[in-house]
């Protein structure tokens, strides 16, 4: 009998494991020190089952691991450790590994910024204070709520649900944010640039709905702009709404086929490009149509404290604003209220084949009056640039260029009246047959003159 007692006792304790290393599927209730010690996963097709509200300390993984955390409906997996901003010290440190959360809710209860790393798939709801993606890919398929999001690198993909990230700072170099169709994204402000750099290439692709409240924060994540981004691409199904009095600014590229409704100014800064696609609705200053909207051309990028510093803000004082040279790519038939220029700034209107622009006016910014230049490029031709809210004399006072070369009124272009405004057209050059007719008329005139003599 005694020989049977030992094996039975061993079996009784076999389901209890230490959190040190998990190599096979298990239940969270069977990990004795899950809430106090880092749990390291090593292997593929590992499932961690969470059947009750559970506290966890830290999840780590050996390279190439693939883990699924299945949380029962209505239950929470709460991390009590916030992690650190060093590789391998994050609250979820899955560098070169994948973790998928399904069901229930994942939350971080620790104060301060929580750090994450790896390929992170969230089918679970997330609730936390300050979240930070150090590197890797964050895929969100359901709800997400955090006071802030600090994306230091990598890619964030949003596929479904309502995602509220508070003060959203997607500031890591070359960070990418994809908001797909069907997603409702919310934030108090967005900073989409590499900290303190004017060479940022960060990108947001918006095909869902995004609303920025304009409740600006303070501290390192704070900003004085509702949207301050390097590259913003608004697809045909994308809708961006920026509320509040804070201005918005594009550092490199605004590519818009959908809708941007802003209650304040929208600035294009130096060397940036505005791409107006067919069907675009760029609505600034609470305007209801693009034909009323204003786009400001001025370099208002400003790194408070210098390169590499935070927060990065828009220049709001005259000593920091400088001129901007901006390109506008035009697709299809476009209408716009006006472009307003900081002194000595310029705009290049790059007409794509079959495009046109009907604009109210080109004007100086009221606080920074001075000369500015309009450069015509691409497929500019007769009857594609129409100005509707300026007099002929005001238009003739403008400075036009063609592919960078100054144009002379009456020689290189003319202001031609049309219904509802004026076209900027080429000066008609007679065809050879027309020249022959002209010379013929002159010759007949000379003959008649000599006969009278």
């Amino acid at each position: 009998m005694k020989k049977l007692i030992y094996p039975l006792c061993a079996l009784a304790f076999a389901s209890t494991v230490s959190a040190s290393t998990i190599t096979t599927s298990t239940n969270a209730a069977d990990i004795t020190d899950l809430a106090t010690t880092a749990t390291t996963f090593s292997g593929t097709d590992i499932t961690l089952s969470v059947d009750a509200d559970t506290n966890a300390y830290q999840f780590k993984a050996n390279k190439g691991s693939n883990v699924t955390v299945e949380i029962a409906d209505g239950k929470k997996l709460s991390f009590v450790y916030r992690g650190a901003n060093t590789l391998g010290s994050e609250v979820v440190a899955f560098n070169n590994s994948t973790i998928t959360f399904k069901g229930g809710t994942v939350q971080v209860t620790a104060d301060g910024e929580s750090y994450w790393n790896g390929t992170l798939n969230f089918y679970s709801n997330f609730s936390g204070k300050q979240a930070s993606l150090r590197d890797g890919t964050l895929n969100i398929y359901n709800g997400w709520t955090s006071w802030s999001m600090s994306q230091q690198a990598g890619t964030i993909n949003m596929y479904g649900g309502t995602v509220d990230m508070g003060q959203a700072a997607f500031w890591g170099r070359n960070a990418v944010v994809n908001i797909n169709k069907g997603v409702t994204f919310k934030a108090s402000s967005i900073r989409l640039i590499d900290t303190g750099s004017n060479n940022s290439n960060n990108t947001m692709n918006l095909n869902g709905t995004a609303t920025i409240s304009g409740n600006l924060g303070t501290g390192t994540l704070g900003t004085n702009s509702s949207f301050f981004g390097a590259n913003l691409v608004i697809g045909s199904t994308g809708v961006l709404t920026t509320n509040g009095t804070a201005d918005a600014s594009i550092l490199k590229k605004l590519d818009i086929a959908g809708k941007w409704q802003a209650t304040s100014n929208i600035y294009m800064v130096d060397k940036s490009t505005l791409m107006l696609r067919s069907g675009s609705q760029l609505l600034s200053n609470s305007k209801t149509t693009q034909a009323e909207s204003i786009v400001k051309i001025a370099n208002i990028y400003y790194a408070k404290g210098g390169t590499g510093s935070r927060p990065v803000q828009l220049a709001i004082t005259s000593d920091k604003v400088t001129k901007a040279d901006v390109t506008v790519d035009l697709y299809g038939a476009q209408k716009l209220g006006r472009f307003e220029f900081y002194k000595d700034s310029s705009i290049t209107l790059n007409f794509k084949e079959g495009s046109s622009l009907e604009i109210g006016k080109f004007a100086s910014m009221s606080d920074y009056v001075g000369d500015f230049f309009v450069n015509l490029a691409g497929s500019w031709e007769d009857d594609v640039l129409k100005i509707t809210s300026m007099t002929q004399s005001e238009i003739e006072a403008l400075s036009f260029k063609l592919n960078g070369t100054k144009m002379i009124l009456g020689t290189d272009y003319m202001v031609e009246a049309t219904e509802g405004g004026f076209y900027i057209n080429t000066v008609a050059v007679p065809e050879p047959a027309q020249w022959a007719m002209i010379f013929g008329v002159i010759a007949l005139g000379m003959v008649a003159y000599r006969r009278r003599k």
Side-chain angles (χ1 to χ4, degrees), residues 224 228 247 249 265-270 296-303 313-326 340-346 364-370:
N224 64 348
F228 194 5
D247 294 332
S249 178
N265 297 313
I266 296 176
Y267 283 88
M268 300 299 299
V269 307
D270 190 38
K296 292 182 178 287
I297 310 298
N299 193 36
I300 58 173
Y301 176 82
Y302 170 54
Q313 298 184 328
L314 304 184
I316 55 177
T317 55
S318 59
D319 62 309
K320 296 181 178 69
V321 181
T322 56
K323 75 179 186 71
D325 299 316
V326 172
E340 288 189 355
F341 299 81
Y342 181 82
K343 57 187 178 183
D344 298 324
S345 295
S346 71
S364 292
M365 295 170 59
S366 58
D367 296 333
Y368 307 106
V369 176

Side-chain angles (χ1 to χ4, degrees), residues 347-397:
I347 189 170
T348 294
L349 298 177
N350 185 21
F351 290 88
K352 300 299 182 177
E353 187 174 354
S355 67
S356 62
L357 174 63
E358 181 179 308
I359 187 167
K361 62 173 60 179
F362 299 98
S364 292
M365 295 170 59
S366 58
D367 296 333
Y368 307 106
V369 176
D371 293 335
F372 56 86
F373 305 91
V374 179
N375 184 41
L376 306 178
S379 298
W380 172 70
E381 57 186 4
D382 287 352
D383 301 343
V384 297
L385 175 56
K386 182 180 180 180
I387 304 174
T388 61
S389 299
M390 299 178 73
T391 65
Q392 182 166 346
S393 59
E394 288 174 332
I395 297 172
E396 290 176 347

